[in-house]
Amino acid sequence: MGDGITSIQQNNSVTYTIPGNKVVSLAVKSIEGCLSDTTYKTITIAPKPVVDISFANSCVNAVVNFTGINISGNIRQWKWNFGDGNTGSGKTPKNIYLRNGNYPVTLYAVEQSGCISDTVKITINIYGTSANAGNDIIAAALQPIKLHATGGLSYQWFPSKGLTDPNIADPIAVLSQSQT
């Protein structure tokens, strides 16, 4: 069976861990004790392909571009699992994550010979925000009101008319007429 492995079993299987050419031989013995000529066959054990993943952490609802990196092998198939219930194929798939969090992404590839790579596992971080502008208020005309926002790193209030600065978390609003 090659690599010094022998067996007297009729149906055998062996797992080769080192790629290359292996010479296997077969001789059979009949029930009457007659021994056949030995036949030889050379089989080629192809190496496993080696792949990796390129990606960038992203935000909720943004398109995430993944790239399969072919380190070795002649890849014919790419198999992705994005960790959110979605799967993909091809060297450059895309996915959109609907919730923030950490997702385990896996990739394996199949080589032209049918050999399968080890599974590559990474974690992608999907960032999200929870914008909060505070409770609703009733405002009287020309009375300053301090607004307060949370949930982000930068802010942009709309409409910006009457605000001291529409790009901060806590602008002061002075309305020209009463609002409810």
Side-chain angles (χ1 to χ4, degrees):
M1 299 193 66
D3 285 351
I5 301 168
T6 61
S7 174
I8 59 170
Q9 301 289 325
Q10 180 178 355
N11 296 308
N12 253 331
S13 68
V14 65
T15 300
Y16 294 103
T17 58
I18 300 172
N21 292 330
K22 310 294 181 188
V23 177
V24 295
S25 62
L26 173 67
V28 296
K29 190 178 206 179
S30 71
I31 201 164
E32 293 82 16
C34 302
L35 189 59
S36 72
D37 290 338
T38 301
T39 60
Y40 298 91
K41 182 168 182 85
T42 301
I43 58 172
T44 301
I45 307 302
K48 275 198 238 184
V50 178
V51 296
D52 204 355
I53 300 173
S54 174
F55 71 101
N57 293 328
S58 190
C59 295
V60 170
N61 296 320
V63 174
V64 179
N65 297 301
F66 292 92
T67 301
I69 300 170
N70 183 358
I71 295 171
S72 70
N74 187 7
I75 306 300
R76 69 176 160 103
Q77 224 173 12
W78 301 84
K79 296 290 189 173
W80 298 84
N81 184 319
F82 299 117
D84 63 347
N86 292 325
T87 59
S89 61
K91 187 174 181 178
T92 56
K94 300 174 185 320
N95 192 43
I96 296 175
Y97 292 89
L98 303 179
R99 297 183 190 274
N100 63 313
N102 298 326
Y103 294 89
V105 177
T106 60
L107 167 67
Y108 72 88
V110 181
E111 212 253 352
Q112 290 293 342
S113 67
C115 293
I116 300 171
S117 72
D118 289 333
T119 299
V120 178
K121 298 174 185 174
I122 57 96
T123 299
I124 186 168
N125 299 312
I126 301 300
Y127 304 108
T129 60
S130 298
N132 183 348
N135 295 327
D136 290 342
I137 57 172
I138 297 173
L142 304 176
Q143 294 297 312
I145 299 168
K146 183 175 182 180
L147 302 176
H148 178 68
T150 60
L153 296 176
S154 63
Y155 301 90
Q156 191 168 15
W157 291 86
F158 293 103
S160 60
K161 185 177 179 184
L163 298 179
T164 55
D165 185 344
N167 299 311
I168 63 173
D170 301 313
I172 304 295
V174 178
L175 303 173
S176 59
Q177 59 186 2
S178 296
Q179 299 282 318
T180 56

